[in-house]
């Protein structure tokens, strides 16, 4: 309240929100601070995000299929914002044998992914 920022930007935060998260967002908005949330776990957490999204001024999602869901909920500003990478650092390159493997997964262990990997194993 003392700083009066123009924006409050929340990146996902699904697993770290305090119990009174939505009340905090409402209080921030009452101060005239615009709010934005970027959901990076759609569509796996959509059952939760549909309850949160309408409380924000702007909703970003990396999942194209959820854009219309948030718009139908009445969210005033919803945008597709895919995750990105700096290709100068993250690119195919030669590595030592100890770092080589036939399979590599990078991401969160959502239940459906774990089931898929268990079935493959």
């Amino acid at each position: 309240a003392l700083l009066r920022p123009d924006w409050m930007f929340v990146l996902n935060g699904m697993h770290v929100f305090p119990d009174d998260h939505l009340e905090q967002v409402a209080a921030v908005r009452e101060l005239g601070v615009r709010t934005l949330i970027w959901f990076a776990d759609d569509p796996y957490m959509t059952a939760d995000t549909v309850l949160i999204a309408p409380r924000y001024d702007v909703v970003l999602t990396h999942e194209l299929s959820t854009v219309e869901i948030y718009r139908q909920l009445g969210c005033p500003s919803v945008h597709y914002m895919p995750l990105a990478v700096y290709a100068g650092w993250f690119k195919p390159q030669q590595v030592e044998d100890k770092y080589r493997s036939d399979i590599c997964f990078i991401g969160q262990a959502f239940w459906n992914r774990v089931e898929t990997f268990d079935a493959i194993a």
Side-chain angles (χ1 to χ4, degrees):
L2 295 173
L3 295 176
R4 298 285 184 177
D6 294 323
W7 284 90
M8 178 181 77
F9 186 124
V10 176
L11 176 56
N12 214 31
M14 294 303 300
H15 308 290
V16 296
F17 282 146
D19 291 338
D20 65 344
H21 159 245
L22 296 178
E23 291 82 8
Q24 289 182 28
V25 174
V28 168
R29 291 182 76 190
E30 285 177 18
L31 294 171
V33 177
R34 296 198 63 202
T35 58
L36 178 147
I37 191 161
W38 185 7
F39 293 125
D41 286 335
D42 281 333
Y44 303 103
M45 301 295 293
T46 307
D48 295 321
T49 61
V50 295
L51 303 174
I52 296 169
R55 309 295 185 98
Y56 283 82
D57 295 303
V58 177
V59 175
L60 305 177
T61 177
H62 77 265
E63 175 59 39
L64 193 55
S65 70
T66 59
V67 169
E68 190 57 33
I69 292 170
Y70 296 128
R71 287 183 179 152
Q72 288 177 2
L73 288 172
C75 297
S77 183
V78 181
H79 305 277
Y80 173 58
M81 177 71 79
L83 300 172
V85 66
Y86 177 58
W89 291 342
F90 300 98
K91 62 185 178 206
Q93 55 188 310
Q94 293 296 319
V95 296
E96 298 174 38
D97 283 344
K98 67 180 180 180
Y99 295 113
R100 293 179 181 265
S101 64
D102 292 330
I103 299 172
C104 176
F105 170 76
I106 299 172
Q108 281 194 297
F110 290 113
W111 62 267
N112 60 325
R113 294 174 178 174
V114 171
E115 288 177 357
T116 298
F117 292 132
D118 286 347
I120 292 170

